[in-house]
Every structure is written in structure tokens, then in C-alpha cells.
Amino acid sequence: MPAVVRTVAELRAATAAAGTVALVPTMGALHDGHASLMRHARPLADTLVVSIFVNPTQFAPGEDLDAYPRTFEADLERCAAEGVDVVFAPTVEQMYPHGLEDQITVDPGPRATLLEGAQRPTHFRGVLTVVAKLFSLVRPDVAVFGEKDYQQLSLVRLMARELCLGVEVVGCPTVREADGLAMSSRNRYLSGSDRERAAAISAALRAGVDAGPDGPEAVLHAAEKVLADAGIDPDYLVLTSPDLGPAQPGREARLLVAARVGQPRLLDNCAVSLGNPADGGK
Ligand code: PAF
């Protein structure tokens, strides 16, 4: 079993002679997607730390902070199975000892105003602030994040670079259910028919990838059609460059989608190779 540490002092003691450290930050409710992050991180350092902390500052009032699934005992079993050395599971008081008001926070910059940030204006300030705190506390050499939350991964990378945090940020491919649905802690809130419909989100991305050689408009058109056929009205469906700028014909791009299916709001994204119709496409 991993050592379970709940305070900063215990964390310091548990990592004092740790050698190199890899960190997988999580909010718990661990699933196969998290297990793949741990598996990816395990060989990257001497000591593997997983943090489990449901961070209140990345939830806006009215979002699902209280309802967010908490499955600590099962999470520990999963960490043990993946060879995790230390589970850091702090309280809110340990992470925010001076309270949630009057804080110094990380300004996530303009990239955080797009996509998820347009829907959830305070979200990335909370995410980057807690990730910066976790980096300061755990002092990892490398930190591993999932590509499923692509904008989050992009912003964490940018923060590590811009604030010279000395942490290598590694992204891991999304792990999917057999029908393509991206694994997420919130999938458990999908009811029967919505669970079936939710597969259309990844199907839309695949249709977009297939249309890639025909250029950006064809990608969006193909993906929109799959969503519309499943009765899904996305919050956004966009094609960007890999760093979330404008997509360029003839280049690698990223197709990102967010949509509410029944109760949960689902996110997914994938890489697309764009042809350039102006050059005859394909
Ligand atoms: O992706 C998550 O689970 C969270 O946003 C993170 C990175 C652990 C920060 O709370």
C-alpha cells in the first residue's frame, strides 16, 4: 500500500529521500484513465506521488463541488495496484491555510478565457493555483496530466514554462470505453439512454478526423452532423491549432467539443491532420 499523507509536514517527511519525483495530480474518483496516467508516470522517476484533492476553487457556486464523487478507499486500492509510493490527500485547510478569500492566485491569461473558460470564467484560475501549490509542495521533476482535459494540459504546460517552475509536464492519451466514450469521473452520472447517446461525442471526433484531408470546414461539418443526428447540441465544437490558436489548413489541428448529455457536461478532443483544399486537398 502507498504511504497516505495528509499534511504538508507528513508529505515532506515521506519525500525527503525520494530521489526524482513524478506527480499525478487528481481529484480522486479514480478510473482506468487515471490508472494509465500512473502507469505512464511510474517509470519516469524514483518516487511516484498521486495527489487526491477535490479543489474547491475550481468549482463556481452552483457547480457540483459537494456532489463530486469521493471514493477514497477504492482510490487507494487503485494506487496500490499501480505501484504508487505516496498518496497526498490533504484537507482544504492544509491546501488553503489562510482561507479561500484574500488569496494570491495564478492569473491564467488569455488562453483561459476560451472554450471552457468562456463557460466557466473562474475555473482555470482555481486549477492553475492549486496545481502551482501542488508543484511547490511535492516538488516533482515531472507531472503527468491527461489529454482529455486538453485546455487544462495546455495551460499547465504554459504556466510551468512562463513561471519557470522547473517541472516537465507530460500529456497522456485519453483512455476510452469500448464505444469510444472518454473516461471521466462524471460518466457515472449518465443514465441508460444518455449513456448510449454520449458515444456520439467521440464518434463526432472520429468523423472529423476522417474528414481532415478535406480541410477545416469539412471537419466541422462532419462532426456537427454526428452530434445533430444524436440530438446533442454542443456548448462548443471548435477546430484550433495544437496550442488553441486558429487552425491552419495543411497543419496538425485539435478538434475540441463540450456538450451536456443528460446531467453531466462531457469534454473530449483529438488531433486532426488537416489537408489544404486550396492546394487540392488530400
Ligand atoms: O484534472 C483534475 O483532476 C484537476 O483539475 C486537477 C489537475 C487535479 C487540479 O485540481
Side-chain angles (χ1 to χ4, degrees), residues 1-27:
M1 272 289 176
V4 177
V5 300
R6 297 205 175 263
T7 67
V8 171
E10 287 169 359
L11 175 69
R12 290 268 185 261
T15 54
T20 55
V21 174
L23 171 66
V24 178
T26 82
M27 297 206 300

Side-chain angles (χ1 to χ4, degrees), residues 23 30 35 55 65 76 109 121 123 147 166 179 192 205 212 234 246 268 275:
L23 171 66
L30 303 180
N55 172 37
L65 172 62
L76 266 191
H123 177 64
E147 283 182 355
D179 66 357
L205 296 181
D268 204 348

Side-chain angles (χ1 to χ4, degrees), residues 10 13 24 26 43 47 80-81 85-86 120 122 132 140 170 185 193 229 261 279:
E10 287 169 359
V24 178
T26 82
T47 298
D85 299 297
V86 178
R120 307 175 71 194
T122 57
V170 172
S185 304
S193 63
D229 288 350
V261 180
D279 298 341

Side-chain angles (χ1 to χ4, degrees), residues 24-28 34 51 53-55 58 68 123 126-128 130-131 134 145 149 152 156:
V24 178
T26 82
M27 297 206 300
H34 294 110
S51 61
F53 178 63
V54 183
N55 172 37
Q58 68 191 74
Y68 197 84
H123 177 64
V127 170
L128 293 194
V130 84
V131 170
L134 289 167
F145 292 80
D149 295 306
Q152 167 174 284
V156 170

